[in-house]
Amino acid sequence: MADTVKITIDDIEYEVPAGMNLVDAAKLCGVDIPVFCYHPKLGYAGNCRMCLVELGTPRRNRETGEMELAWFPRLQTACTQTVVDGMSIRTRSEKVRDGRRIILELLLSSHPLDCPICDKGGECPLQNLTMEHGPETSRMYWEDKMHLGKHIPLGELIYLDQERCIHCARCIRFQRLVADDPVLGFDQRGRRQRIITSSTPPFDSIFSGNTTDICPVGALTTADFRFNARPWEMVQVATICSHTPEGSNMYFDTRPDREAGGRTTIKRVMPRQNEQVNEIWLSDKSRFVHHYMEHPDRLTRPLIRKGGKLVEATWEEALEEIARQLQAAEAEVAGIAGGRLSNEDFFAFQKLIRGQGSNNLAAYPARVAGAEFVAQVGVGVGTNFLDVGEGDAILVVASDLHEEAPIWWLRVKAAAERGATLIVLNGRETRLDKFATHRIRYAYGEEVATLNAMLGSLDDEHIQPEREVEGLEETLRHARGFEASPELAAAAKAFAGAENAILIVGGEGVGAETSHNLAQAASNLLIATGHVGRPNNGLIIVWGAANSQGAFDMGIHHRYGPGYQPVEQPGLDYAGIIAALKSNDLKALYIAGADPVFDDWLMEEALRATNAYIIVQDMFLTQTADLADVVLPTQSIAEKEGTYTSGERRVQRFYQAIEPIGESKADREIFLTLAQKLGHGEARTVAGLIFNQDIAGAVPQYAGITYQALARVEKQFPDVGGEDLYYGGTSYPNRHGLGVQWPVAAEDESAGLVVRPAEAGSRLTATDSALVVVPVTVLYDAEPVMQKTQLLRQRVPAPYAALNPADAARLGIEAGDMLEITSDGHAIRVMAVLDETAPRGAAIVPRRLQAQGAPLAAVVAPVVRLERIGA
Amino acid sequence: MALLDTRKEDIEHHLSKYPDKRSAIMPLLYIAQEEYGYITEEAMQEIAELLDVDITHVKGVVGFYGMYYDKPKGKYLLYICTDLPCALRGAEEFSQHVCEKLGIQPGETTPDGIFTVENVMCIGACHRAPVMQVNFHFHENMDEEKADQLIEDLRREVKATEPYRSE
Amino acid sequence: MAHILLRELDIPNIKDIDVYLAHEGYQGLRKAIAEHTPDEVIDIVKASGLRGRGGAGFPTGVKWGFVPKDVFPKYVAVNADESEPGTFKDRQLMENNPHQVLEGALICAYAIQAEAVYIYIRGEYWDIADWLDEAIEKARARGFIGENILGSGWSCEIYTHRGAGAYICGEETALLESLEGKRGHPRLRPPFPASVGLYGKPTVINNVETLANLPYILDKGAEAYRQFGTEGSPGTKIFCLSGHVNNPGNYELPFGGETTLRKLIFELGGGTRSGKPVKGILPAGASGAILPATDEVLDTPLDYESLRPFGSSLGSASLIILDESVNMAWAANKMIHFFSHESCGQCTPCREGTYWLRRLYERLERGEADLYDVETMKNIAAQMLGKSICALGDFATNPVLGTIQHFGEDYEAVLGGDGSGDASPDEKEAAATEAAAD
Ligand SMILES: Cc1cc2nc3c(=O)[nH]c(=O)nc-3n(C[C@H](O)[C@H](O)[C@H](O)COP(=O)(O)O)c2cc1C
Ligand code: SF4
Ligand code: FES
């Protein structure tokens, strides 16, 4: 436990952690010091002057040599103080109350007092603190007030009301300190001072929505929620972000809506505090993308192909037909499930397919692999990036974390700022480099070799496995065959020597095979350096979808069943399924919650060519669904309940927020109905029962976890936005569960650890006419859910390839040119963007900006200029 | 024409003065103002890039300081101090005279784009009031006659240096 | 008496480096380097009792003593922002005797072992900055600036940096922010610039006039310096005389003794131009509280402390003289206009308070205000006091509180209508109770 000090608040003595901010310490003691500009996640700025207290600090009397309390003659700002032993404050004296009253009166002297039409009304710190501490009337003449702009769009997402702004600078500080997008600032000075942004595009930050939460007044509001509903009319339904793998906790704020014919609709998404997951932050994608869930294009009824066309059918009809097809196919079926399904869905899905006697199961996207390594050496239970700092290390390889997992990016960056050693290995510069202690560039293709070389460079002193490791000798010998530059060796040493070390493996440029090997190499490095089996040590894989971890945990894999238990007869993996489709070795394919055709032209080719019966289950008529024989309408996360497992293996619950759209059903329900029809056994469709009984029984790692335990909450600190809206946040309190992390094998000290040489690929090299085409992930891509969300769609860039200007010059390419890149017989068209951060010889091509718009893994491919578009 | 094309030497000189290049923002803004008459959006962008800061920051700096202009102003910027010490010595009447002579209000620019008048806070010449600055150069112990003469002279100077055209 | 600071009055053309050198120029710096360690220089300055001339009067040597010895680099910032209404002394020092200022800055830099000096000069002193640059080049050519100064092994550069029209940048931490290329928002203290200053490094900030004293002190010694002025305020001070006097200008006089407002206004200033009696004196520009021109006030020997009993202070000694023709509510309006124009906008009391006060004064000017409004003004000003980040917020209360206290009748003279305005009886009663409370 940290040291404590004694402080006195209003004549009562308390013991609080040393080094704590005085406002936080008082809060811990149950004393609210009102604040506007101070925020525990942003530190102090001392500008609002609301937190004035009488302050006495211990000083040595020059004459007597005794310590005595010296009271400052003036009121002091509590937010700028750190507690010291013997400090004393008064928070309730006449003087303090006067101080608060005048500060509030001064703030209100410029305030428009338009609370009745303000989105923040009802959850506004200014309103609340005025009730509690403010003057009853204002002496300011109404007509003397400053008049400023009221509806200023800072971008498509955020609006500014300059009159309501109280200049606390929280938004500016958030953008600068937390998001590292310093695109907000003050302009002018004095009373004319105001918030501006001048970035292109405006308010250029993927975290912009957070500013509306921390704004202590209604100055910043979202385009999403403006004038939409009143906070007190809404019901908060706990949910989990279903788009990226961090497992961000959030709320759907819902309300019956007249425009929707009385249906309950989602009015807004708010962060739900979970200090171990997303703290109080959300990416804008998490916050704003929900509109697709209630989009009119949602599928409402099953569709069956008749006469070459998909026509509406009844559930009865569709399920009968599917059952008949599956029955006939017997074990010649395969299943592909996308990573937005819940654990219960996945469990039911594998039960259905395995019930057929088939292990042909693939999770989608299939390009990121290695979950079995996570099951061995994933980060220890209790891991929290907030606890990582000085003395610890984080290694990130093959990931642009800012795009792949924004919340992890925030937290890794913050850990680096607290002093953690940050090692970034990638083929190009990413937004994490700026915070890194070691930045290492490899040539694409050498991802695994680079990790191997790190391991190989370590001397005996740094090879410190904590227990018996099988295969260590051989693996080390293999690793020593890879050469490490001095920088890489230094990074390896720093990693090995760190108190705690986390290794994050991403999916940039790599495909399933390399990804698997990368996880092996990562696991080797962690085991050999003793960084496994403890909190804040171990492996995290940046999955391509929100619940990919859950998919693997539930056994959506051709080689292992639920709980990573090997199957006797391995089935086909994703690539194997494509091959079998083409050769007509499969009779039926079931694709649930995945749109592989959008990514993969080989899949399209296979689906067009095959005779197999194609079942697609989705929310929209995706490109994959378009090729199906039958399409089943399924539900979004808002319409059902269940659990997700985050990339840190935290199992978390989400709840039903709205009524199902049309006749859509939950994925699990469809699978289980079919399983029953096929005679695979009794169907239990209630999510909680599946979790508590089926999953607990089949997945050893989940055995100790109950649905109820997932809903458990405990007091979190800082207590942001409790009932009292203390720190002025909106809807942060988590009343619905903090989730439970499942333990990995290495956490059992008696469990053996295994390392194996990680097979390394070789460097990809550009030629005279061909470049190394590297697929990378971007947050704002053109996948269907983004397309259906007007607000975010505007930020999705046109498909492009980023080239190094030197390569462009060599190939006669100018910015704006239309390029054609051909690989594997498939051509894509993208616009040329010149970018110094693109390495020489490479073309960086974002995935999913258009259908089949990038190769699945890095390849060497000719890049040809088609036409000159630019001037 | 970018600033770096026309004023490279000056820019480099200012960059060399500080351990952190961001400190050069104020001198660079003055350079932009000298070059274009006011600080254009493009100049702000160029300075932001040169100094590796967000353009929002550059705008905020321009907006904070009174001597930077992000809109066109007259070729001659006339600062007339009307702060308390000068006001005690007739500065307000003096300012009024100059404005009437030019047919504009304080803060405005003559239609021909030659003069902008601003009533400013103390500029450190209280003992020689009324005082006026022309493009930041002092003209002290002014009176109405001297002001009239000065304005005539400046007008003539503009004519002599044609082809000056107003915005 | 020969001048210590305004030496050009005794030695024509001393701004020329050769003339300066012919008259003990750079002698103080030479002695400091040749005869003293940096710490000894600090001790000498402490012994001289020199106090900062920028307004606060803080002992200069003591301030230098706060600078940590083992942190590098260190900086000196010369405060040449001179923007206080009624102040024009630093300008004269830089215009007419730039080398004295440079020498003073170098002595300071040597004492704390700084590697660079930045002269933050207000933008409106455009030409003076150019002239300073020329003087810097001349001094460099003679080996006083640059590498290995006077063979000491210590190197130091001097640069000028122009402000751009923001009074707040005279406040030392706003000055540092501005120098770093930011908006001039004052910093929270602690930490103080002596330990965490420019670019987070130890920094001494001194006013131009403060530094101009140093060549004399180092050349002639602390004892010689102390022959001028008083025990508590040694040396001489430049008094900037402006407003309704016949001979406005800068006057250098020793602190205390015969230096009184009467002497300055009537002897040196030649009395009022109108011949009307003096009504009030602003001893510290717009920032200090106004003094009524009573005999007691006029005859008080001036030093840093002597105006305290009258509820005012000497500040930077910018004496604005107002004669009987002035309505003090008008003067207060001018000053509030100044402060609301110059408030940086960072902290609530100053940003909102100055704006609100300004609106109330505008009402007053339009003849729309009543007694209740005057009470409100007084109450807001009183409540603003001591709650802002920097002293500007406090300064802004002085014109209001001072003029209402001493010249309340001037307000009554401009109240509108029947003097009752449109405040409700309740509000008036509330205001009255509140007024009684403070
Ligand atoms: C609002 C404000 C404006 C100031 N303006 C000036 C100024 O223009 N020149 C100056 O030397 N000091 C000014 N000061 C005082 C400085 O903060 C600082 O005390 C001074 O430069 C220290 O130098 P000294 O110790 O030599 O006096 C100002 C202070 C405040 C609060
Ligand atoms: S007192 Fe005024 S000038 Fe000083 S920090 Fe506050 S707002 Fe800025
Ligand atoms: S000044 Fe302390 S909370 Fe704003």
Side-chain angles (χ1 to χ4, degrees), chain B residues 13-14 16-20 22-27 30 34 57 59-61 63-68 79 82-85 87-90 92 121-128 133 135-138 140, chain C residues 75 85-88 91 118 122-127 159-166 168-169 178-185 199 242-245 248-249 273 282 320-321 330 334 337-338 341-342 344:
Chain B
H13 163 68
H14 288 297
S16 74
K17 281 161 55 172
Y18 311 96
D20 180 342
R22 280 177 297 180
S23 283
I25 190 167
M26 293 180 68
Y30 275 129
E34 281 166 9
H57 174 76
K59 280 217 167 136
V61 169
F64 187 86
Y65 297 95
M67 290 169 68
Y68 294 133
Y79 273 5
T82 52
D83 211 347
L84 180 63
L88 294 173
R89 302 176 75 83
E92 291 180 320
M121 301 296 152
C122 181
I123 47 177
C126 329
H127 54 324
R128 296 174 189 152
Q133 282 200 327
N135 292 349
F136 313 142
H137 303 295
F138 277 114
E140 303 178 314
Chain C
Y75 300 104
T87 315
F88 38 82
R91 171 184 170 188
Y118 292 94
R122 64 178 304 179
E124 294 88 343
Y125 289 175
W126 193 270
D127 294 326
Y159 304 104
T160 56
H161 180 102
R162 282 190 175 99
I168 190 59
C169 292
S178 183
L179 200 45
E180 289 182 8
K182 303 178 198 151
R183 295 160 58 80
H185 280 183
Y199 309 117
S242 69
H244 284 150
V245 286
R273 287 204 298 182
L282 286 158
I320 306 173
I321 313 303
W330 169 85
K334 276 260 160 213
H337 184 81
F338 173 82
H341 188 267
E342 299 301 336
C344 84

Side-chain angles (χ1 to χ4, degrees), chain C residues 133-419:
Chain C
D133 280 338
E134 285 167 25
I136 290 169
E137 283 320 306
K138 297 237 163 73
R140 187 197 308 279
R142 307 293 171 107
F144 299 122
I145 298 172
E147 297 287 315
N148 189 17
I149 295 169
L150 301 177
S152 62
W154 164 70
S155 306
C156 186
E157 284 299 331
I158 302 190
Y159 304 104
T160 56
H161 180 102
R162 282 190 175 99
Y167 167 70
I168 190 59
C169 292
E171 194 283 334
E172 57 185 19
T173 59
L175 183 150
L176 296 179
E177 288 285 292
S178 183
L179 200 45
E180 289 182 8
K182 303 178 198 151
R183 295 160 58 80
H185 280 183
R187 298 177 182 172
L188 296 162
R189 277 159 297 189
F192 290 90
S195 48
V196 182
L198 188 61
Y199 309 117
K201 300 296 176 193
T203 304
V204 161
I205 299 133
N206 272 129
N207 169 258
V208 167
E209 185 188 351
T210 312
L211 296 172
N213 282 282
L214 293 167
Y216 183 95
I217 294 172
L218 266 291
D219 186 25
K220 306 279 196 294
E223 273 315 302
Y225 184 75
R226 275 190 172 278
Q227 66 183 301
F228 308 106
T230 66
E231 177 61 26
S233 306
T236 61
K237 176 83 191 78
I238 302 175
F239 293 87
C240 310
L241 196 59
S242 69
H244 284 150
V245 286
N246 269 309
N247 312 317
N250 287 316
Y251 297 95
E252 180 184 350
L253 296 172
F255 282 108
E258 287 167 17
T259 304
T260 61
L261 286 168
R262 191 182 297 285
K263 173 170 175 171
L264 278 153
I265 299 169
F266 295 101
E267 221 170 281
L268 303 169
T272 61
R273 287 204 298 182
S274 61
K276 289 186 186 144
V278 175
K279 182 170 178 178
I281 301 127
L282 286 158
S287 294
I290 194 161
L291 294 166
T294 62
D295 285 342
E296 211 188 346
V297 165
L298 287 173
D299 292 323
T300 298
L302 296 174
D303 66 24
Y304 276 112
E305 276 77 33
S306 60
L307 295 178
R308 252 196 221 148
F310 304 101
S312 190
S313 63
L314 190 60
S316 50
S318 347
L319 313 174
I320 306 173
I321 313 303
L322 304 104
D323 73 16
E324 287 287 0
S325 65
V326 179
N327 178 306
M328 291 302 179
W330 169 85
N333 184 6
K334 276 260 160 213
M335 291 185 271
I336 280 300
H337 184 81
F338 173 82
F339 286 117
S340 81
H341 188 267
E342 299 301 336
S343 166
C344 84
Q346 182 180 203
C347 69
T348 306
C350 171
R351 178 186 65 242
E352 305 296 341
T354 54
Y355 175 76
W356 190 354
L357 287 169
R358 178 173 170 175
R359 300 296 268 171
L360 286 170
Y361 273 101
E362 284 166 3
R363 282 184 171 266
L364 198 68
E365 194 175 73
R366 291 194 305 266
E368 290 170 13
D370 59 20
L371 213 52
Y372 168 74
D373 295 318
V374 178
E375 281 310 322
T376 306
M377 288 173 171
K378 196 168 131 187
N379 184 264
I380 297 168
Q383 294 266 31
M384 279 168 66
L385 205 59
K387 297 194 177 69
S388 50
I389 290 177
C390 83
L392 192 149
D394 290 341
F395 292 167
T397 66
N398 281 329
V400 184
L401 297 175
T403 55
I404 295 179
Q405 183 192 344
H406 296 296
F407 306 99
E409 65 283 2
D410 283 12
Y411 283 78
E412 276 163 40
V414 290
L415 290 184
D418 60 356

Side-chain angles (χ1 to χ4, degrees), chain A residues 252-562:
Chain A
F252 286 135
D253 283 6
T254 63
R255 197 196 66 173
D257 196 354
R258 204 168 345 117
E259 275 162 43
R263 255 182 73 91
T264 293
T265 61
I266 298 169
K267 292 306 207 179
R268 64 174 179 182
V269 169
M270 298 297 289
R272 174 165 59 103
Q273 185 178 16
N274 190 333
E275 287 297 296
Q276 307 188 66
V277 180
N278 54 315
E279 303 170 41
I280 54 168
W281 313 126
L282 288 181
S283 78
D284 285 351
K285 186 165 180 178
S286 301
R287 188 187 299 262
F288 295 115
V289 77
H290 66 90
H291 290 274
Y292 74 85
M293 298 175 184
E294 294 167 287
H295 196 276
D297 287 355
R298 279 282 302 271
L299 294 173
T300 54
R301 301 191 63 196
L303 304 172
I304 291 184
R305 191 168 298 278
K306 283 185 183 153
K309 278 213 166 78
L310 286 170
V311 293
E312 289 197 349
T314 64
W315 272 104
E316 204 31 53
E317 202 184 334
L319 291 179
E320 275 309 317
E321 175 63 14
I322 295 169
R324 202 168 45 243
Q325 294 283 353
L326 290 179
Q327 199 126 42
E330 292 183 347
E332 285 175 52
V333 300
I336 296 176
R340 65 155 184 78
L341 266 52
S342 71
N343 291 332
E344 298 68 27
D345 296 333
F346 287 131
F347 190 81
F349 188 56
Q350 63 86 30
K351 201 163 148 180
L352 172 67
I353 301 296
R354 291 209 160 95
Q356 295 283 116
S358 163
N359 280 317
N360 302 331
L361 276 165
Y364 202 82
R367 58 188 164 76
V368 195
E372 57 272 44
F373 297 102
V374 172
Q376 297 300 310
V377 299
V379 286
V381 170
T383 291
N384 184 349
F385 280 118
L386 271 183
D387 298 334
V388 178
E390 184 110 45
D392 305 325
I394 301 175
L395 189 162
V396 180
V397 58
S399 178
D400 180 354
L401 215 48
H402 188 260
E403 301 288 315
E404 291 184 23
I407 295 296
W408 286 343
W409 179 86
L410 276 189
R411 306 187 85 215
V412 167
K413 158 194 174 277
E417 287 173 331
R418 281 190 298 270
T421 298
L422 175 61
I423 304 164
V424 177
L425 309 185
N426 203 334
R428 63 174 175 133
E429 183 182 332
T430 68
R431 285 200 54 176
L432 208 47
D433 284 36
K434 183 174 161 190
F435 306 95
T437 359
H438 303 261
R439 295 168 207 91
I440 314 272
R441 297 263 186 283
Y442 51 65
Y444 286 102
E446 291 188 337
E447 295 83 3
V448 181
T450 308
L451 281 190
N452 282 348
M454 279 182 83
L455 178 60
S457 75
L458 293 172
D459 49 27
D460 289 348
E461 185 195 333
H462 287 96
I463 301 290
Q464 294 231 342
E466 277 162 4
R467 55 188 109 144
E468 196 67 28
V469 175
E470 189 191 321
L472 187 59
E473 275 303 294
E474 186 201 351
T475 305
L476 283 176
R477 204 174 322 116
H478 175 256
R480 290 197 180 112
F482 295 85
E483 208 178 317
S485 65
E487 296 81 45
L488 189 61
K493 237 186 196 163
F495 183 81
E499 173 93 16
N500 300 295
I502 294 175
L503 208 164
I504 301 175
V505 177
E508 170 149 333
V510 301
E513 196 186 326
T514 310
S515 170
H516 175 92
N517 295 337
L518 205 49
Q520 171 82 68
S523 163
N524 294 347
L525 186 59
L526 285 162
I527 291 173
T529 55
H531 290 306
V532 296
R534 291 178 284 135
N536 304 322
N537 286 276
L539 176 65
I540 293 175
I541 295 182
V542 191
W543 301 116
N547 197 28
S548 299
Q549 181 69 50
F552 296 115
D553 294 354
M554 296 305 122
I556 306 296
H557 200 274
H558 62 291
R559 272 192 285 110
Y560 45 76

Side-chain angles (χ1 to χ4, degrees), chain A residues 107-114 140 142-153 159-167 186-196 218-219 226, chain C residues 345 351-352 355 359:
Chain A
L107 284 172
L108 295 174
S109 72
S110 286
H111 197 78
L113 301 176
D114 50 355
M140 181 82 175
W142 184 259
E143 60 276 21
D144 281 355
K145 283 193 191 240
M146 185 75 156
H147 289 297
L148 296 165
K150 287 197 71 74
H151 308 288
I152 298 176
Y159 279 78
L160 168 67
D161 184 319
Q162 291 178 334
E163 290 188 347
R164 293 181 189 151
C165 170
I166 60 165
H167 306 248
F186 279 130
D187 191 12
Q188 308 294 321
R189 70 179 186 223
R191 189 60 200 81
R192 299 180 57 228
Q193 180 173 263
R194 64 199 69 178
I195 301 286
I196 54 159
R226 269 164 65 80
Chain C
R351 178 186 65 242
E352 305 296 341
Y355 175 76
R359 300 296 268 171

